[in-house]
């Protein structure tokens, strides 16, 4: 077997020559060039053709031992029917691709870059100053260093909610407008590399002009709310059931509150909302399918089928409960509970969205579960029955998580 001493004793000649190792590693040899350069090779035959795989040049770093190990790896590939040279090229290509991806990632613009670019587009001096100050105080310290193409809607929303939590609703609204505009501007700038990326603010609700009251419930608040619904005596069962379904599904309040029996398919296991009944359906002309998880199906199944709607009011079984009644009833219940701050029925939707993200339900599936407007190419050909299994799995995972949160207090 070759030794370092033997390799060093090989002297250059007028023409290149090869020396094969007389050992168990068939085909392992070294070539000495007239310049004195010594290169290890693995000689082999594949498909009746003699091939030579360059293992590397001999040096203090690339020793005989390392060359032999590399030769043996090549022999294993060959015995498996693979060409070592082609596999080496594939590996190099994969490594180059990985390097390019990493380089692109390292060079990708951050949220700070997006903000900086947007400020250059503002020509009004006062607007530029005020927007810059707000970015510096509320955005950069929180998400500024995040890669712009990696920023999630949850992270973007957290910035807005932090301002809302201070009681600065107008400031939060202005920040939402500026931040959304910043991403829209950046997406049109080819040099920033955000072409084709969505705006992370597109699915974040713009703060209303009135008093701030939008929020997501914590795990402890969810438990108190759920248990409170089971114990509170000052609310009709229809309102209680509506609020439970909202927490189990994360749907829009009107979509559940005005639910009709014609839209419920218990045997098939889903709710089918027609386009005219949904916020996005009026634009997309597509309905919305909501898979029924066990708890939701049980709640709906126990309703009396005495009219057209699932949750009728007190006077007419064909007319659903109204949102004012739901809001007032929830407000009264919350006042009766200790250590549970006020929230509105629509905050339940945001709560479900936040906690689905926490339990790693993919954003695309969350969006489809909650019937957000989707603008990608695939969604233009999206049938409302598509992604049924994925939506059911996401809702079922959330239902199981809710059981854990409420200590299986499902009732």
């Amino acid at each position: 077997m070759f030794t370092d001493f033997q390799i060093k004793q090989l002297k250059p000649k007028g023409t290149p020559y090869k020396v094969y190792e007389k050992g168990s590693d068939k085909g392992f040899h070294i070539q000495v060039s007239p310049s004195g350069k010594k290169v290890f090779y693995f000689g082999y035959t594949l498909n009746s053709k003699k091939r030579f795989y360059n293992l590397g040049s001999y040096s203090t770093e690339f020793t005989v031992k390392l060359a032999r190990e590399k030769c043996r790896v090549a022999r294993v590939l060959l015995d498996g029917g693979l060409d070592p040279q082609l596999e080496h090229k594939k590996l190099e290509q994969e490594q180059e691709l990985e390097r390019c991806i990493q380089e692109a990632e390292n060079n990708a613009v951050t949220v700070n870059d997006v903000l900086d670019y947007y400020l250059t587009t503002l020509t009004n001096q006062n607007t530029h100053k005020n927007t810059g100050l707000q970015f510096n105080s509320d955005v950069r310290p929180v998400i500024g260093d995040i890669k712009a193409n990696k920023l999630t809607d949850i992270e973007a929303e957290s910035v807005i909610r932090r301002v809302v939590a201070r009681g600065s609703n107008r400031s939060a609204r202005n920040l939402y407008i500026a931040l959304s505009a910043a991403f829209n501007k950046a997406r049109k700038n080819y040099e920033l590399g955000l072409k084709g990326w969505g705006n992370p603010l597109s699915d974040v609700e713009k703060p209303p002009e009135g008093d701030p009251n939008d929020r997501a419930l914590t795990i402890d608040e969810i438990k108190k709310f759920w248990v409170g619904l089971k114990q509170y005596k000052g609310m009709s069962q229809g309102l209680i059931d509506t609020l439970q379904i909202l927490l189990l599904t994360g749907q829009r309040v009107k979509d559940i509150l005005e639910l009709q029996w014609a839209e419920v398919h218990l045997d098939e296991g889903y709710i089918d909302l027609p386009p005219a009944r949904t916020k996005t359906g009026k634009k997309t002309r597509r309905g919305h399918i909501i898979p029924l998880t066990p708890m939701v199906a049980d709640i709906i199944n126990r309703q009396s089928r005495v009219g057209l709607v699932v949750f009728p009011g007190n006077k007419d079984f064909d007319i659903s409960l109204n949102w004012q009644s739901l809001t007032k009833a929830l407000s009264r219940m919350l006042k009766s509970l200790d250590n549970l701050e006020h929230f509105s029925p629509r905050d339940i939707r945001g709560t479900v969205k936040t906690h689905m993200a926490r339990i790693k339900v993919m954003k695309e599936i969350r969006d489809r579960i909650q019937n957000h407007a989707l603008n990608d190419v695939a969604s233009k050909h999206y049938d409302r029955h598509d992604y049924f299994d994925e939506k059911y799995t996401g809702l079922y995972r959330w239902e199981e998580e809710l059981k854990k949160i409420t200590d299986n207090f499902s009732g």
Side-chain angles (χ1 to χ4, degrees):
M1 297 177 66
F2 285 145
T3 64
D4 285 311
F5 177 77
Q6 290 176 320
I7 298 299
K8 291 176 181 179
Q9 297 304 308
L10 296 174
K11 304 299 181 183
K13 298 179 181 179
T15 58
Y17 68 94
K18 299 176 182 178
V19 178
Y20 282 80
E21 183 181 71
K22 298 178 180 179
S24 59
D25 297 304
K26 185 179 179 181
F28 182 46
H29 64 281
I30 190 168
Q31 178 174 287
V32 183
S33 67
S35 65
K37 184 178 181 180
K38 301 168 184 178
V39 181
F40 291 106
Y41 283 91
F42 169 49
Y44 60 99
T45 301
L46 185 67
N47 298 328
S48 302
K49 292 184 179 180
K50 189 67 176 178
R51 299 173 186 267
F52 296 94
Y53 173 33
N54 187 325
L55 299 173
S57 300
Y58 175 71
S59 67
T60 54
E61 290 78 22
F62 192 68
T63 62
V64 176
K65 181 180 179 181
L66 292 177
R68 186 179 293 106
E69 289 175 355
K70 193 171 181 180
C71 176
R72 289 172 179 174
V73 171
R75 168 60 66 182
V76 171
L77 292 173
L78 183 64
D79 291 343
L82 300 175
D83 188 335
Q85 292 189 75
L86 292 180
E87 295 305 308
H88 179 71
K89 288 181 180 179
K90 288 180 183 179
L91 179 61
E92 286 184 330
Q93 291 171 351
E94 290 173 358
Q95 291 174 338
E96 176 62 16
L97 178 60
E98 185 176 344
R99 186 194 65 78
C100 291
I101 292 174
Q102 186 61 51
E103 183 178 349
E105 178 66 19
N106 293 337
N107 296 330
V109 298
T110 64
V111 173
N112 279 331
D113 295 323
V114 170
L115 303 183
D116 291 339
Y117 172 69
Y118 177 64
L119 291 173
T120 66
T121 68
L122 300 178
T123 56
N124 183 284
Q125 190 173 7
N126 287 332
T127 301
H128 184 283
K129 178 182 178 181
N130 294 332
T131 304
L133 289 173
Q134 191 168 34
F135 284 166
N136 290 340
S137 62
D138 295 323
V139 184
R140 296 186 193 275
V142 183
I143 61 173
D145 293 331
I146 296 177
K147 301 296 184 183
N149 58 15
K150 300 294 184 182
L151 183 69
T152 67
D153 58 330
I154 300 298
E155 292 167 327
E157 187 173 27
S158 71
V159 172
I160 306 300
R161 286 191 175 276
R162 284 165 64 95
V163 181
V164 171
R166 296 203 306 259
S168 307
N169 210 67
R170 178 177 295 181
S171 179
R173 185 177 176 86
N174 290 339
L175 178 59
Y176 173 93
I177 294 171
L179 200 52
S180 180
F183 272 93
N184 285 335
K185 288 275 189 179
R187 291 167 61 206
K188 296 177 182 179
N189 184 334
Y190 181 80
E191 293 181 358
L192 289 179
L194 293 178
K195 287 280 188 179
W197 289 96
N199 187 333
L201 277 297
S202 61
D203 286 329
V204 177
E205 188 173 356
K206 182 189 296 184
E209 296 181 359
D211 293 332
N213 54 17
D214 291 345
R215 68 187 188 89
L217 277 65
T218 65
I219 291 176
D220 186 59
E221 288 176 325
I222 291 173
K223 180 174 181 177
K224 290 178 180 178
F225 170 50
W226 187 268
V227 174
L229 284 174
K230 305 303 298 182
Q231 297 177 344
Y232 185 60
K233 304 300 182 182
M235 187 185 301
S236 71
Q237 189 61 48
L239 291 174
I240 291 173
D241 290 341
T242 299
L243 289 168
Q244 285 185 329
I245 291 179
L246 289 175
L247 186 56
L248 284 161
T249 65
Q251 301 304 306
R252 293 184 174 90
V253 177
K254 279 188 68 175
D255 291 352
I256 299 302
L257 198 62
E258 298 176 359
L259 190 61
Q260 301 176 22
W261 283 114
E263 299 164 347
V264 178
H265 304 271
L266 285 170
D267 291 339
E268 292 81 7
Y270 63 84
I271 292 170
D272 188 357
L273 299 180
R277 273 260 290 118
T278 68
K279 180 179 179 180
T280 57
K282 295 169 185 176
K283 294 181 179 180
T284 64
R285 297 182 182 179
R286 289 193 297 267
H288 176 44
I289 294 292
I290 308 168
L292 292 175
T293 52
M295 289 176 66
V296 178
D298 287 344
I299 293 172
I300 293 177
N301 202 35
R302 69 184 179 220
Q303 306 305 312
S304 300
R305 296 193 180 220
V306 292
L308 297 176
V309 297
V310 178
F311 303 111
N314 296 326
K315 297 181 180 179
D316 191 333
F317 289 113
D318 291 334
I319 298 178
S320 63
L321 293 162
N322 60 65
W323 66 268
Q324 291 97 332
S325 298
L326 183 67
T327 301
K328 290 178 181 178
L330 175 60
S331 181
R332 288 194 301 268
M333 187 192 82
L334 294 176
K335 289 179 181 179
S336 72
L337 300 176
D338 295 329
N339 302 319
L340 184 54
E341 295 182 8
H342 179 272
F343 63 89
S344 68
R346 73 175 182 176
D347 289 330
I348 298 173
R349 177 174 168 85
T351 296
V352 175
K353 175 183 178 181
T354 297
H355 288 279
M356 276 190 170
R358 177 177 61 80
I359 63 174
K360 308 301 182 184
V361 175
M362 292 177 59
K363 181 181 182 302
E364 180 185 12
I365 304 306
R366 301 197 314 266
D367 289 346
R368 295 186 185 279
I369 286 172
Q370 295 195 314
N371 199 25
H372 285 299
L374 302 169
N375 300 316
D376 55 282
V377 175
S379 298
K380 294 180 181 179
H381 307 286
Y382 166 61
D383 184 270
R384 66 186 190 279
H385 285 275
D386 289 344
Y387 294 90
F388 182 93
D389 292 341
E390 291 85 350
K391 290 195 293 184
Y392 178 88
T393 300
L395 285 168
Y396 185 79
R397 285 179 59 196
W398 168 236
E399 180 172 290
E400 291 299 303
E401 176 68 9
L402 190 56
K403 287 181 181 179
K404 294 178 183 177
I405 292 173
T406 58
D407 293 332
N408 294 305
F409 191 97
S410 55

